[in-house]
Amino acid sequence: MSELRQTVDIIDDEARTQRFVFVLLNDFTLLSFASALECLRLANRMAGRELYKWLLLGEGGETISCSAGTEFNLDDDLIELHRDDWVMICGGIDIQQNSPKKVIGWLRREARKGIKIAGLCTAAYTLAKAGLLDGKAATIHWENQDSFQEEFDEVELTKSVFRIDGNRMTTAGGTSSIDLMLKLIAEAHGETLANAVADQQIYSSIRTDQDTQRLSVPTRIGVRHPKLSQVIQMMEANIEEPISPSILAKDVGMSTRQLERLFRRYLNRSPKRYYMELRLQKARNLLMQTDMSVINVALACGFASPSHFSKCYRAHYDTTPYRERGSQASRLSI
């Protein structure tokens, strides 16, 4: 421990305590927030001095709940910040509804100071809504990528676990906050301290912005077959304009019948059925997370007509797209 403290002292003997301001949005994800905060706490502990301090802000300045229902006491409302503060916006579920105008306006005002701002988990949406990611590369939780792309085409969306572009940072959620914070700690105080913080968390595999947030196709489907993985990757990349099974088969050097048998053997469904499920899954995400019309959702997911889309959707989810959209609106109004 003493050797570590000496190393930190050599690197930043003149450095003053850095303040991180966590802005908690309603229904924020506890894991993303706690992962980031713990890195700062552990950095202080391992260095034997206060390298970091933090503040919890939120609309109203009193209390706010995470998506698990636990309530947190806030330190203050959305106050004016110092130019050298680091702001961490903590998002979670229903991010569109939980990015209020007051927060958006506050973000725009503070951004004019040149403050470094991060969006944890789904809070990349909040930053994009405020116009703070225009022309920048960013990431967001994989479940929100479809809706994000539809709404913010001026943002270069990546599938990285985290992304830093100038004074803007975004993470994919979950433990990706740890990866971002370890990078920031390493840049400010050295790799030795960052590695010590990782060790304290039993975090043995530190990821970079080159790592993707989702498991590989073979890991996700539990099957290690290169041609099957290649076909599924092609399907996932071509939702709006689906590729016929015959072309998919040809592209991987198989016959249509061989492809059919491959899907039946490993996934217990036809290629056509699997592809349809992927398209319907994206459609459901768009219905639940955007204000896109049902017709536009249908087109974005490769359906030529709303009636065909509705028929397929009902067969899979036992409800219509219109009722799905209505139930979502009712739930949010409660």
Side-chain angles (χ1 to χ4, degrees):
M1 180 77 79
S2 60
E3 291 180 2
L4 172 63
R5 291 175 180 174
Q6 289 172 6
T7 302
V8 174
D9 287 341
I10 292 172
I11 292 173
D12 64 344
D13 190 51
E14 300 300 320
R16 63 196 185 97
T17 302
Q18 180 65 58
R19 187 171 77 163
F20 276 74
V21 179
F22 290 90
V23 179
L24 307 183
L25 302 179
N26 194 41
D27 289 328
F28 69 94
T29 301
L30 183 55
L31 179 58
S32 292
F33 162 65
S35 294
L37 186 60
E38 271 297 281
C39 285
L40 300 180
R41 182 189 71 82
L42 287 169
N44 287 348
R45 177 170 175 263
M46 300 309 292
R49 50 187 278 208
E50 189 183 58
L51 300 176
Y52 300 104
K53 58 184 177 181
W54 47 86
L55 195 63
L56 305 186
L57 303 185
E59 188 176 15
E62 296 183 359
T63 61
I64 201 158
S65 296
C66 68
S67 56
T70 305
E71 198 170 75
F72 287 77
N73 292 322
L74 298 171
D75 294 313
D76 214 327
D77 203 340
L78 299 174
I79 58 174
E80 186 174 347
L81 303 180
H82 306 306
R83 189 173 182 178
D84 56 354
D85 284 332
W86 288 60
V87 179
M88 317 296 280
I89 311 298
C90 302
I93 62 174
D94 298 330
I95 189 63
Q96 289 85 351
Q97 291 72 32
N98 290 322
S99 298
K101 291 181 179 179
K102 183 177 179 181
V103 171
I104 299 297
W106 177 83
L107 270 174
R108 288 170 177 161
R109 289 194 300 273
E110 295 302 319
R112 296 189 192 108
K113 300 175 182 177
I115 289 177
K116 293 180 173 63
I117 303 175
L120 306 187
C121 194
T122 60
Y125 175 91
T126 313
L127 270 61
K129 195 70 176 176
L132 305 187
L133 296 180
D134 290 358
K136 294 185 177 293
T139 190
I140 195 170
H141 190 280
W142 62 265
E143 196 174 44
N144 299 79
Q145 291 226 337
D146 292 333
S147 57
F148 189 98
Q149 281 185 312
E150 292 291 339
E151 188 165 352
F152 304 111
D153 56 7
E154 63 276 19
V155 181
E156 180 193 336
L157 187 62
T158 74
K159 296 182 179 180
S160 306
V161 290
F162 71 89
R163 195 65 185 234
I164 300 175
D165 192 337
N167 56 0
R168 300 290 176 261
M169 298 157 283
T170 48
T171 74
T175 56
S176 62
S177 292
I178 297 177
D179 302 294
L180 172 63
M181 300 307 289
L182 291 177
K183 181 173 179 60
L184 298 181
I185 291 169
E187 288 179 347
H189 305 292
E191 294 283 350
T192 302
L193 179 60
N195 291 338
V197 171
D199 280 343
Q200 284 292 310
Q201 298 178 89
I202 322 296
Y203 201 68
S204 57
S205 181
I206 303 174
R207 297 169 295 184
T208 72
D209 57 2
Q210 299 302 307
D211 291 301
T212 56
Q213 54 181 286
R214 294 201 73 184
L215 298 173
S216 65
V217 169
T219 304
R220 271 190 279 142
I221 65 177
V223 177
R224 295 195 176 278
H225 192 292
K227 290 190 176 182
L228 181 62
S229 297
Q230 190 177 346
V231 170
I232 290 175
Q233 287 173 344
M234 291 167 64
M235 288 178 172
E236 291 178 343
N238 294 275
I239 298 293
E240 189 169 348
E241 297 181 4
I243 304 172
S244 70
S246 60
I247 295 177
L248 289 170
K250 183 179 179 181
D251 285 347
V252 295
M254 302 178 73
S255 69
T256 305
R257 183 173 293 181
Q258 286 174 321
L259 184 65
E260 182 85 19
R261 285 202 297 265
L262 188 64
F263 269 79
R264 291 288 183 188
R265 177 182 176 185
Y266 290 110
L267 299 174
N268 197 32
R269 52 174 61 76
S270 68
K272 185 178 179 181
R273 181 69 246 171
Y274 188 88
Y275 209 165
M276 175 64 72
E277 289 172 0
L278 288 178
R279 292 161 60 198
L280 290 171
Q281 184 179 58
K282 175 176 179 177
R284 190 169 190 270
N285 282 342
L286 294 178
L287 287 170
M288 303 290 278
Q289 299 173 12
T290 73
D291 295 325
M292 292 172 64
S293 68
V294 172
I295 293 175
N296 285 336
V297 169
L299 293 173
C301 298
F303 294 93
S305 71
S307 59
H308 182 225
F309 171 49
S310 185
K311 180 181 178 181
C312 295
Y313 197 94
R314 183 167 189 166
H316 189 64
Y317 289 114
D318 199 28
T319 187
T320 67
Y322 297 94
R323 287 175 181 167
E324 189 83 272
R325 172 62 59 75
S327 65
Q328 170 74 349
S330 298
R331 185 175 69 84
L332 292 174
S333 64
I334 294 175

